[in-house]
Amino acid sequence: MAVAANNVNLSPEKVTAKLALIFLGPPGAGKGTQAKRISNELNLPHLSTGDMLRDAVTRGTELGLLAKPIMARGDLVPDEIVLGMVEERLKRPDCTCGFIFDGFPRTIPQAEKLDEILHRRGFGKPLVIEFMVNPETLLKRVAGRWTCSIGGETYNIYERAPKVPGICDNDGGKLVQRSDDQPEIVKERFAAYQKQTLPLADYYRGHGNLQTVDGGAEVNQVTRALNEILKRAAGSDGHL
Ligand code: AMP
């Protein structure tokens, strides 16, 4: 869903510098939903490593076969696999001016390697936005999450239900639940987040490029908060 660019006084033509945005937060924090919105608004690609890996699993590629059992357990896929996949993706022309990472980096080695890649590709420090959400809200978000099997639009039966149960409002696609959104697997994914990904907040805070939003707020409110951060990052001329 597009958000009017004039909400932020930013538009694709105003993203003149190279912009690497990172959305950091646990499963269910709303990173994907917001990344889609900001991606439409700024015309920057939304790079979800989870989506890339699920696509590889569906296509049955070598990488997909390797990742499948790891993802099914709720563990993290090894750094070198994810990093190789991301490096390849960044070579595509749509990434020249910038991108929004959702679900990457997830470990300190991934973040360190990303710094190197960004430097090599002429980017400055990434702008990292951490989504803060309380555990009860996260659980409800993950348990209620349904995704369109055609366009990938996500719904939540508690917060943002489709008009017709089980059917996507946009394209009539069947809504499906992710197999790793089952409670037992979600527990593992939260544990992996606490142990391996949460230290990234300190890493980026130490580098002076961490901002936070209240990811538990209503979806439009979160988008407005992100817009405010982007506006501040853009400075007085409105150019990022
Ligand atoms: P997500 O859709 O972001 O929740 O990711 C789904 C699953 O894909 C995770 O539970 C991991 O198994 C795997 N995954 C996604 N991104 C990464 C990453 N950056 N590093 C390691 N594993 C990842």
Side-chain angles (χ1 to χ4, degrees), residues 183-200:
E184 278 313 298
I185 310 299
V186 168
K187 234 164 75 186
E188 294 305 317
R189 290 167 61 212
F190 281 148
Y193 183 80
Q194 289 288 334
K195 194 167 164 218
Q196 288 163 281
T197 308
L198 204 52
L200 290 182

Side-chain angles (χ1 to χ4, degrees), residues 220-238:
N220 291 317
Q221 223 173 307
V222 180
T223 309
R224 278 196 292 277
L226 291 170
N227 287 334
E228 281 304 316
I229 291 174
L230 289 166
K231 205 160 46 167
R232 281 202 301 276
S236 54
D237 65 354

Side-chain angles (χ1 to χ4, degrees), residues 54 71-72 74 142 145 178-182 185-186 189:
R54 276 185 289 279
M71 294 171 76
V142 174
R145 172 156 65 187
R178 278 171 49 173
S179 54
D180 63 350
D181 276 349
Q182 294 162 33
I185 310 299
V186 168
R189 290 167 61 212

Side-chain angles (χ1 to χ4, degrees), residues 162-219:
K163 291 193 185 97
V164 180
I167 304 292
C168 178
D169 295 349
N170 294 351
D171 55 21
K174 187 172 180 280
L175 302 184
V176 291
Q177 272 193 304
R178 278 171 49 173
S179 54
D180 63 350
D181 276 349
Q182 294 162 33
E184 278 313 298
I185 310 299
V186 168
K187 234 164 75 186
E188 294 305 317
R189 290 167 61 212
F190 281 148
Y193 183 80
Q194 289 288 334
K195 194 167 164 218
Q196 288 163 281
T197 308
L198 204 52
L200 290 182
D202 278 340
Y203 176 88
Y204 285 120
R205 198 174 290 115
H207 286 62
N209 47 345
L210 184 80
Q211 306 271 343
T212 56
V213 286
D214 173 10
E218 188 273 327
V219 65

Side-chain angles (χ1 to χ4, degrees), residues 27 48-51 53-54 70-71 74-79 82 102-106 110 145 178 180 189:
S48 155
T49 43
D51 284 349
L53 289 164
R54 276 185 289 279
I70 303 172
M71 294 171 76
D75 288 340
L76 292 189
V77 173
D79 290 337
V82 176
D102 154 19
F104 175 86
R106 254 175 157 102
Q110 288 182 18
R145 172 156 65 187
R178 278 171 49 173
D180 63 350
R189 290 167 61 212

